[in-house]
Amino acid sequence: MQMLINGKGVSGTRSFAVENPATNAVVTEVPDCSAAELDAAVGAAQQAFPIWSATPHAERQQLLLDCADILVANLDELAALLVSEQGKPLAKAKRELMGSAAWLRYTATLELPVETIRDDEMVRVELHHKPLGVVGAIVPWNYPVISAVGKFAPAMLAGNTVVLKPSPFTPLATLRLGELLAERIPAGVLNIVSGGDELGRLITAHPAIRKLSLTGSVAAGRSVAAAAAQDLKRITLELGGNDAAIVLDDVDVKTVAQRIFTAAFENTGQVCTAIKRVYVHDSIHDAFVDELVALAGAARLGDGMADDTEYGPINNRPQYERVLELIESAKADGGTIRCGGERVDGPGYFITPAIVTGLSDAARLVVEEQFGPVLPVLRYSDVDDAIARANDSLLGLGGSAWSADAARAAAVADRLVCGMSWVNAHLMIVPQAPISGQKLSGIGAENGVAGLHAFTRLQTRITPKG
């Protein structure tokens, strides 16, 4: 597996191992990008920028369509790599990859028209969207391929060139995709380098990079923002979430519990916009918890390549240990582990899905983002109180409200302080809909027209008449 620098595969001068989280076996080793190799990647992106930014928009659109076709043509190979490094079931790995192709195809439909904001007998004023230059993109380990596509596709469509770094836990499918796309993408337009936190720091501090796009933790976002401030780089940060779901008293308990469970435990809970805490009306709380416990007990954990696996492992040891720590803290904070929360004997970072009740709003499991298969369920009797408690968080990525009356749920969802709100749904992400975090959940937007504009700078053109 090689890095992609200036259109060519680069093995690098050093390497690191990538582990299968379901077996703890080493899958392979990949290059550990050095400072000199990063300089070469950034230099290639700089050299490619003038020609690429001058390439007609329609040609850039066609390139993205061709990239989607290449991805789909190599679906099985990429899916197997994704399972081996990330741990998710094969069917869901293929879903991520097909979603990546859909993101490429949708992005290819977007335009950057010139906006006329005044045109009269005195003056014509136009607003143009111009590319920024070299974009640095840093992607996470939970959805590595679709996160990468969600950054490089709009960045390239806008006329930028890209240096992209996948997570050191999940670089394989992204590096292989880069090898495949190298046949179609002009040299230097997309560069993919692999490495750990030190490489991330080098990217954020590199003076030739004019825009940084990160999906990661709040701590990582703070670090990127601080580094970017030195050169006043533009930033887009999609950071952590502590999404609340408020379940009103009139729902069908069995149906809504199933949907809440799915939206909380998808990808073993390792989703930024997954449900992280549930507020359930006191009149249905106990019945609702019973349904969640039954669903958790029936969940099938295992290696993602096994046909009957529904949920894979935690992706990496640091996160595995953190989730176990939060489970222990929930016990110490007076919570009741209604089911799950246990290590699974044998290899792999497996934890049985846990439902926790009896916690206060001050408990760590309620305050912090768990990013794993543990869900706290909290009682409420007054909906205004539930909304206030849901909003009492430093994070504000997503939230949802659930009711048999959609208008009633919408009235609650509209009061949640978050970038995305859902009515009788959660975790429904489409490429047209921007994701934008509030508070510590991020800065800027990804996806849709707003996400494309985030990779551009505004230029106002004023032409006097007469």
Side-chain angles (χ1 to χ4, degrees), residues 228-398:
Q230 300 304 308
D231 297 315
L232 296 181
K233 294 180 173 71
R234 288 166 170 78
I235 56 174
T236 297
L237 305 176
E238 199 269 277
L239 307 179
N242 192 13
D243 290 22
I246 298 177
V247 181
L248 303 183
D249 57 0
D250 61 350
V251 301
D252 180 280
V253 169
K254 190 177 185 66
T255 299
V256 173
Q258 173 68 72
R259 293 175 181 170
I260 292 283
F261 184 87
T262 299
F265 290 91
E266 178 65 27
N267 203 33
T268 314
Q270 300 167 115
V271 189
C272 297
T273 52
I275 294 173
K276 307 291 172 44
R277 51 201 167 114
V278 186
Y279 296 86
V280 181
H281 192 272
D282 188 71
S283 64
I284 60 171
H285 174 275
D286 292 349
F288 201 90
V289 168
D290 288 344
E291 289 291 338
L292 291 175
V293 168
L295 291 164
R300 298 191 300 274
L301 280 63
D303 190 309
M305 294 303 291
D307 291 340
D308 62 344
T309 294
E310 294 179 311
Y311 299 95
I314 301 292
N315 174 256
N316 56 80
R317 181 174 291 279
Q319 183 61 20
Y320 175 69
E321 292 176 348
R322 183 176 183 278
V323 172
L324 290 171
E325 178 195 4
L326 282 173
I327 292 169
E328 291 305 310
S329 77
K331 297 175 184 177
D333 288 337
T336 300
I337 311 297
R338 292 294 304 272
C339 66
E342 300 173 343
R343 303 170 186 255
V344 176
D345 291 337
Y349 302 126
F350 292 97
I351 300 174
T352 53
I355 305 298
V356 184
T357 59
L359 290 173
S360 74
D361 290 334
R364 282 186 62 198
L365 185 60
V366 179
V367 173
E368 300 180 24
E369 179 184 28
Q370 65 273 49
F371 219 67
V374 188
L375 181 65
V377 184
L378 303 106
R379 293 178 182 269
Y380 77 90
S381 56
D382 177 78
V383 70
D384 291 332
D385 175 61
I387 294 168
R389 291 161 65 191
N391 286 334
D392 186 20
S393 172
L394 294 175
L395 300 171
L397 192 57

Side-chain angles (χ1 to χ4, degrees), residues 52 55-66 157 184:
W52 180 247
T55 299
H57 190 80
E59 292 184 22
R60 298 199 294 259
Q61 290 174 310
Q62 184 59 53
L63 180 138
L64 295 187
L65 294 173
D66 294 344
L157 182 66
R184 178 63 180 88

